[in-house]
Amino acid sequence: MNTTFSCVGCGKCCNDHHVPLTLTEARMWANDGGQVIVLVEGFLGNGLGLPLLQREHAERRSVMVRSGSTEAYVAITFAAYNVGPCRNLDEDNLCRIYERRPLVCRIYPMEINPHIPLNPAVKECPPESWEQGPDLIVGGELVDQELVTLIQRSRQADRDEVQTKDAICGLLGIRTTALKGDGFTAYLPEMGAFASVIDQVVAQPLEAPDGEWLFHVSGEDIAGQVLAAGAEVATEAALNYAFISLRAA
């Protein structure tokens, strides 16, 4: 089935969405007065928390860390924190920073994760967005070559920047992750400190960050699996982060 798409300017994709940012974009967002949220998820070296077919992609965008007596992989996302309309959306639903908008905004409505196919039914775009415009997907293949290039850039940035993000998190005291598929840990760092740490890490050679990672999990059954694999589970109340559960109630 082929898919066409044309943005109708409804602005729905610019409301209540935390937009993933590259390191440069995150620094720009902080400099512009915006808030960045840090979202963290991980999986264990034995594969706990990760479907087998997704492992290669997940490892490439993760940093290998220690948790207890085992290896773990942690993926760190810096995202624009948007509750309600994006701070750059004007009264006409137009982007005030369109020429320098984040990479992920340029890629929309396509997905970055190669294991998540585009599904118009779960997008907030109105029906007319999918009823007109140029071909987007033909015979299951993305035909917009500019989008292909942008998606590749986004995936490469994830891979290239994860070590730097880990160092930044270490200096900010971020060392608790959720288990992939179970949830995310979400941090809202003070933006002055966040920007200063980015500048510090970018300006000097990276060293392996100190401190092992802990896993915040949604229940005792998951905690038992994590502990059995040799990893450490957070036992104290979260003071500097929130846990966003993905587990069905």
Side-chain angles (χ1 to χ4, degrees):
M1 181 177 178
N2 298 342
T3 301
T4 60
F5 178 78
S6 179
C7 177
V8 297
C10 69
K12 290 182 178 179
C13 63
C14 303
N15 281 263
D16 294 313
H17 288 283
H18 301 329
V19 179
L21 303 169
T22 66
L23 191 59
T24 299
E25 291 169 350
R27 182 64 180 86
M28 180 187 73
W29 198 265
N31 190 59
D32 286 349
Q35 175 69 52
V36 172
I37 186 171
V38 180
L39 300 169
V40 192
E41 60 176 348
F43 62 96
L44 301 184
N46 67 358
L48 181 63
L50 182 71
L52 181 61
L53 293 178
Q54 297 185 23
R55 179 151 189 160
E56 180 180 0
H57 170 71
E59 281 191 1
R60 293 181 71 181
R61 64 183 302 268
S62 303
V63 60
M64 189 170 68
V65 301
R66 298 297 302 178
S67 180
S69 61
T70 192
E71 292 178 350
Y73 294 84
V74 171
I76 301 163
T77 300
F78 292 167
Y81 182 66
N82 291 322
V83 177
C86 172
R87 65 190 307 275
N88 294 305
L89 195 66
D90 70 14
E91 60 276 6
D92 296 317
N93 286 330
L94 298 176
C95 178
R96 294 188 180 94
I97 61 166
Y98 188 80
E99 295 303 322
R100 59 186 181 95
R101 68 195 187 281
L103 186 56
V104 167
C105 297
R106 299 171 186 269
I107 290 168
Y108 190 86
M110 293 303 301
E111 303 288 353
I112 304 301
N113 188 328
H115 299 286
I116 302 178
L118 174 63
N119 181 2
V122 303
K123 298 292 182 179
E124 295 177 315
C125 308
E128 55 265 31
S129 298
W130 309 100
E131 296 169 355
Q132 57 187 339
D135 287 331
L136 185 65
I137 297 174
V138 175
E141 296 293 330
L142 177 60
V143 295
D144 186 322
Q145 290 307 303
E146 181 179 1
L147 279 180
V148 170
T149 300
L150 292 175
I151 290 170
Q152 291 172 342
R153 278 178 53 194
S154 179
R155 291 174 182 169
Q156 193 61 50
D158 267 351
R159 299 161 188 162
D160 293 343
E161 296 175 354
V162 68
Q163 296 282 350
T164 304
K165 289 178 180 177
D166 183 36
I168 291 167
C169 286
L171 291 174
L172 291 172
I174 296 174
R175 277 296 178 263
T176 302
T177 180
L179 186 68
K180 187 174 178 65
D182 188 46
F184 293 91
T185 51
Y187 298 79
L188 289 173
E190 192 279 319
M191 283 294 92
F194 180 77
S196 177
V197 167
I198 288 179
D199 293 343
Q200 177 184 343
V201 171
V202 170
Q204 64 186 19
L206 291 175
E207 296 181 1
D210 295 328
E212 69 172 4
W213 284 79
L214 305 177
F215 280 84
H216 186 123
V217 295
S218 62
E220 293 184 3
D221 54 339
I222 305 247
Q225 297 177 60
V226 171
L227 291 169
E232 291 293 322
V233 171
T235 57
E236 299 181 359
L239 297 178
N240 65 335
Y241 67 90
F243 175 72
I244 302 173
S245 178
L246 298 177
R247 198 173 188 183

